[in-house]
Amino acid sequence: MKSPADEIARYLAANGFGTFAGAAAWSINHNREPAQPDSCITVYDTGGGEADTDELDIHRPTIQVRVRAKAAQAAYAKIEAIRRHLKTAIPVMDSFDVIDIRVDTSAASIGQDDNGCNI
């Protein structure tokens, strides 16, 4: 079984947001952000809530999507496109069924990384 971050990263790549584990711009990764390229998307597993039924068969995992780019506007545009897409789509995953996706927060900048890229 793949992690939710791995599944969503591959889903984003399949839907044209970038290349999974690629070396070109808009590389899409999971649980580890590479030093290069400057423009990349990383999806992290962040835990989640307890199972939602007595049978413990409905899980509520959470993820975080982080976008990095030299230009702050490019990073913001990419994260907003991903947010809008995930808010309106019910992706089909290999390892589990998705019932609902809830976007809890808006995009927020956390400054620049060591490469001078906006995140």
Side-chain angles (χ1 to χ4, degrees), residues 27-105:
S27 167
I28 302 177
N29 311 277
H30 74 283
N31 291 329
R32 183 187 163 280
E33 186 173 82
Q36 294 294 324
D38 288 336
S39 299
C40 67
I41 300 162
T42 308
V43 185
Y44 295 94
D45 288 302
T46 57
E50 293 185 29
D52 199 24
T53 63
D54 291 338
E55 294 82 24
L56 304 177
D57 60 346
I58 297 179
H59 299 274
R60 299 181 302 168
T62 58
I63 61 164
Q64 178 182 15
V65 179
R66 179 170 143 151
V67 173
R68 177 181 77 199
K70 282 284 188 188
Q73 297 288 69
Y76 186 80
K78 184 64 81 167
I79 195 66
E80 277 299 304
I82 291 169
R83 186 187 67 78
R84 280 192 310 275
H85 183 81
L86 290 176
K87 191 173 180 178
T88 59
I90 301 295
V92 176
M93 301 290 136
D94 291 335
S95 300
F96 52 87
D97 295 325
V98 175
I99 298 170
D100 183 37
I101 291 181
R102 186 175 77 206
V103 177
D104 287 338
T105 63

